[in-house]
Amino acid sequence: MRIFTAALATETNTFSPICVDRRAFEASLYAPPGEHPETPTLCSAPITVGRRLAAEKGFELIEGTAAWADPAGLVNRLTYESLRDEILDQLRAALPVDAVVLGLHGAMVADGYEDTEGDFLTRVRNIVGADMLVCAELDPHSHLTAKRLAAANFFIYFKEFPHTDFVDRAEDLWRIALDTLAGRVKPAMSVFDCRMIDVYPTSREPMRSFVDKITRTEAADPDILSISVVHGFMAGDVPEMGTKMLVLTDSKPEKGAVLARELGLELFAQRGTFIMPQIDEKEAVSRALAAVSGPVVIADTWDNPGGGTAGDATVLLAELLAQGAQDTAVGTIWDPMAVQICMAAGEGAEIQLRFGAKSAPGTGNPIDGFVKVVRLVRNAEMRFGESYAPFGDAAHIQLNGIDIILNSTRAQSFDPSLFSAMGIEPTSKKILVIKSTNHFYASFAPIAAEILYCSAGTPYPNNPARTPYRRAPRDIWPMVDNPHGDAQGAP
Ligand SMILES: [Zn+2]
């Protein structure tokens, strides 16, 4: 038995000014056949899990290229086409194979391709023919399109957000794929369009209980092979944006459709209750200043480079300056040009500097000030779980009593070590400002006296009712109140 595997993935915030070219993939992950590292990235676990299973079960795994770029804006057309064609050529050369098992994300948008995964899967299908098994693992922050459903046999999505289960779901993908090849099951996908878009962290209620429930349902009923909530991705302005419920049955599509509708309407009934409560920058800074003990962590939740933004918004910093905050550290503001100027000036220099808010509207204005360059670090890194996340050449500057880290590689604020790497002791500060939506929580909660989720400016299209979509559907919640148009959808 011979099985082909490959990965091609990124998450495209179509509103982000940070476009993605070949270099962006090479900076995150570009692994030609056989060169994928032993540990998986978010969307390449089908390769590493496939290697283990091939060794255990004695089938031949033919590896294609694995490519992943960190979330950002539109993917360059030639970059997408060349990576796609590289993998398709590898697949042609590998034939005959028994199955194609892929790692995708599901929210990639390239110049000229609103549904890149649909395009890619259709081309895979055209190469291998109608009868071959084609399946993929995807991120739930993606668009489930009709084109993709037509081209593949089945999909498995991560259940957890934060995505702590991408290896477990790759195990599901392979188990069902191998059962299918052995003739033990015949997967059928049933989809219900929830006609909504929302944000669904599984670290809190009510989504925690919903995911636990679908996991129990999978375990209890042998007809149900897998259930996925496809969250959708509100920063992707594409025609099939929105939340979908996907039920994978063993050849029972009608039963799957009934369950998908039931679960989808249950999710719809809880719309608007999933995300953590947010406050604006004025309230966040006032509350942090009034706090008795620190550090108070203010998460600039929507200027999160992990969601594809630049990470250079200054709205919160401007408010800190306006309210005279002291004993405060901000990590980070992305500004490679300002870092270069600081590097030229040298540690200890006091210089006139303009920094931040240069990339996109809704992120505040550049800050002008007479700053002290305190510390300079080349190729700075912070801890991220068991590994390290780079944030590039970085400068620790001081302005009006506030410590600010400027960085040159966009990075979400994963861990307090981003401050200590720049000579700032995070636990000694009264206020820490960071850029992250949810991933920061596990590492900052142990040192935080309090955590405030702040929605500052409009760096990210986080309010779908007001986002100026051009391509996304306008007849889903929250753009309309009752998109199902029947009693079940009514509030
Ligand atoms: Zn995601």
Side-chain angles (χ1 to χ4, degrees), residues 442-491:
S443 55
F444 278 90
I447 67 158
E450 190 180 355
I451 290 174
L452 301 174
Y453 292 90
C454 178
S455 177
T458 52
Y460 186 92
N462 65 350
N463 183 348
R466 285 201 217 129
T467 300
Y469 291 115
R470 290 182 300 171
R471 301 289 293 150
R474 292 161 189 275
D475 55 352
I476 64 173
W477 184 89
M479 294 77 145
V480 297
D481 284 337
N482 183 14
H484 292 284
D486 58 28
Q488 272 150 316

Side-chain angles (χ1 to χ4, degrees), residues 285-296 430-431 449-450 452:
V285 172
S286 305
R287 277 176 57 178
L289 287 172
V292 185
S293 58
V296 176
K430 176 155 193 201
I431 304 173
E450 190 180 355
L452 301 174

Side-chain angles (χ1 to χ4, degrees), residues 11 42 105 139-141 158 161 163:
E11 178 183 84
L42 188 69
H105 182 288
D139 185 300
H141 297 117
F158 317 148
F161 172 42
H163 305 316

